[in-house]
Amino acid sequence: MSDKDPIAFRPRVVPPSLPTSPTPSPPTVSTPTPVARFSRQELHTILNLYGRKVACGEWRDYAIDFGREKAVFSVFRRSSECPLYTIEKSPKLTRKQGAYSVVTASGLILKRGHDLLRVLEVLDKQVRLLRY
């Protein structure tokens, strides 16, 4: 065979003695299940708060979970512990109590609302020491 000869493709012939596999059925098109997610702007807001708290030495690790019901941003003091706070987004509650909430490790809801910045103010407040 030389370089100038065309390449000929021949269909593969299956001998009749070999069993043939059934033809595969076409793939079924299924609608993907909706997943709750944080938008880019929401993540930017949450990570700004997280960066400030890491700079202060209060927080050290985080985790993000996405599910059908809610998206969760968990904050840890150490990665081996349970989360100090979870920032949750529940799209089902958008028209009722508000999609965003801040929950403590014990399950206490610190704040819930429609605006993420207002909800995150609970975590961002400075502790003031009073002098006598």
Side-chain angles (χ1 to χ4, degrees):
M1 186 183 255
S2 69
D3 292 336
K4 294 181 182 178
D5 292 336
I7 298 173
F9 294 102
R10 295 185 193 106
R12 185 174 151 201
V13 178
V14 178
S17 62
L18 295 176
T20 59
S21 62
T23 58
S25 61
T28 58
V29 178
S30 63
T31 57
T33 57
V35 176
R37 295 188 174 126
F38 290 110
S39 69
R40 183 179 292 234
Q41 184 61 38
E42 292 165 345
L43 274 177
H44 180 72
T45 304
I46 293 170
L47 288 173
N48 277 341
L49 171 66
Y50 175 77
R52 287 193 304 271
K53 293 293 189 173
V54 167
C56 293
E58 295 179 29
W59 297 349
R60 293 196 181 172
D61 200 7
Y62 71 92
I64 302 176
D65 297 317
F66 300 112
R68 280 190 227 160
E69 300 294 322
K70 59 185 170 182
V72 180
F73 186 94
S74 303
V75 177
F76 298 88
R77 186 178 313 246
R78 292 181 190 88
S79 58
S80 62
E81 296 178 352
C82 63
L84 290 174
Y85 301 103
T86 58
I87 301 163
E88 299 178 356
K89 178 182 179 182
S90 300
K92 282 187 173 181
L93 299 176
T94 301
R95 294 183 182 213
K96 296 178 182 175
Q97 302 162 341
Y100 306 104
S101 60
V102 175
V103 183
T104 63
S106 62
L108 176 69
I109 298 174
L110 294 180
K111 184 142 183 164
R112 177 177 279 158
H114 299 281
D115 185 23
L116 181 61
L117 285 172
R118 298 284 309 253
V119 171
L120 291 180
E121 284 177 357
V122 170
L123 300 175
D124 204 18
K125 290 188 178 183
Q126 299 290 328
V127 177
R128 295 182 184 156
L129 299 175
L130 298 174
R131 292 186 178 188
Y132 292 104

